[in-house]
Amino acid sequence: MQQEPVFIALDFPDAFAVRKFLKQFDSLTDKPALKVGMELFYAEGPTFVNELRQQGYTIFLDLKLYDIPHTVGRAVASISKLDIQYLTIHASGGARMMAAAVANKPDSMKLLAVTQLTSFSESEMQATQLTQASLVDTVTHLAAMAFQVGVDGTISSPEEAKAIQAVTSQSFVRITPGIRLLGDDDGDQRRVTTPQKARHHGATGLVVGRSITQAVSPLEAYQRVLQEWCKD
């Protein structure tokens, strides 16, 4: 199984906080991969993403694009100028929207479709989206649609990774947030698991936020995640 990186979610309010946090990883030969979400991107913009790229970090820009096909396609074309490695869109935008995104991305960037947010329980998803379909059925439906139009992979709960693989392919990327080390609080997530269990569930990459960023020693927590992720 091809593995994608373990991404540290930079859930910080500004560049100053990120720079201070990343200094703790200066001793590492291999820089950690980073996820830049909406909070940080809206605060600091493309300039800070370029700064991180110039320092050699792999960047996952998590903007969850969702709009009409033309708008999303042009947005992807604009974002591609940042030389990022991963970008998210919402699969619920539909096949035409996702196809427009695919048509405007460079080969060097992987496009990932968000299926259902890991903050949703099945009952919350059904009530919000006015559906009786199960959570796994909606996730696999959206994943199959993304796969058919050329999206590179999905963002989903680790619990759904094997089901996604079954309706796509072995090489289809399956990045999973909602990762916690044993003993950590779940926070506002509803579908969470450990790095090792995520791998056994069929995940090909991880996004880890609070278990690293709010740890007493973020470097030690990151190394522990890597150890668990690679453990048989």
Side-chain angles (χ1 to χ4, degrees):
M1 179 176 67
Q2 179 183 350
Q3 285 191 323
E4 307 295 324
V6 170
F7 297 92
I8 300 177
L10 297 179
D11 298 326
F12 297 102
D14 53 41
F16 176 81
V18 172
R19 294 186 189 109
K20 181 179 179 181
F21 172 76
L22 290 177
K23 282 185 180 298
Q24 300 171 86
F25 298 84
D26 284 348
S27 62
L28 297 181
T29 302
D30 296 324
K31 292 180 180 292
L34 307 175
K35 183 178 82 73
V36 175
M38 287 183 279
E39 177 186 15
L40 183 59
F41 187 75
Y42 293 158
E44 300 293 346
T47 301
F48 186 56
V49 173
N50 283 328
E51 176 185 322
L52 294 172
R53 280 295 296 139
Q54 288 167 6
Q55 293 172 7
Y57 290 102
T58 295
I59 300 296
F60 169 6
L61 189 56
D62 187 18
L63 297 184
K64 300 181 177 71
L65 302 180
Y66 185 106
D67 212 310
I68 63 173
H70 177 77
T71 299
V72 168
R74 299 319 301 158
V76 171
S78 295
I79 291 168
S80 297
K81 298 173 184 176
L82 294 176
D83 183 34
I84 60 168
Q85 287 64 60
Y86 299 81
L87 175 68
T88 53
I89 59 175
H90 261 294
S92 54
R96 288 191 298 116
M97 189 205 81
M98 288 191 285
V102 170
N104 284 277
K105 82 172 189 72
D107 292 339
S108 59
M109 185 178 76
K110 293 184 179 180
L111 197 63
L112 306 174
V114 177
T115 54
Q116 295 286 359
L117 299 175
T118 52
S119 57
F120 268 146
S121 66
E122 183 166 86
S123 61
E124 287 173 318
M125 181 275 296
Q126 290 173 335
T128 300
Q129 299 174 12
L130 200 62
T131 180
Q132 294 301 310
S134 69
L135 193 56
V136 70
D137 283 348
T138 64
V139 166
T140 53
H141 168 69
L142 292 168
M145 187 189 309
F147 175 67
Q148 288 164 7
V149 299
V151 173
D152 298 289
T154 52
I155 301 291
S156 70
S157 163
E159 298 171 3
E160 293 127 22
K162 281 187 178 178
I164 290 172
Q165 180 185 330
V167 299
T168 57
S169 72
Q170 179 70 21
S171 62
F172 193 67
V173 177
R174 300 177 297 281
I175 304 250
T176 61
I179 303 300
R180 295 287 188 271
L181 291 168
L182 286 177
D184 290 345
D185 183 72
D186 289 351
D188 57 0
Q189 304 279 30
R190 291 295 178 268
R191 300 172 355 258
V192 300
T193 193
T194 65
Q196 186 177 10
K197 287 183 179 178
R199 182 182 176 192
H200 291 163
H201 282 320
T204 64
L206 306 179
V207 174
V208 187
R210 296 167 204 171
S211 285
I212 295 174
T213 59
Q214 296 183 15
V216 174
S217 172
L219 176 57
E220 290 181 6
Y222 173 67
Q223 291 173 324
R224 181 180 164 193
V225 170
L226 290 180
Q227 290 170 355
E228 290 195 18
W229 175 233
C230 297
K231 188 184 298 182
D232 292 331

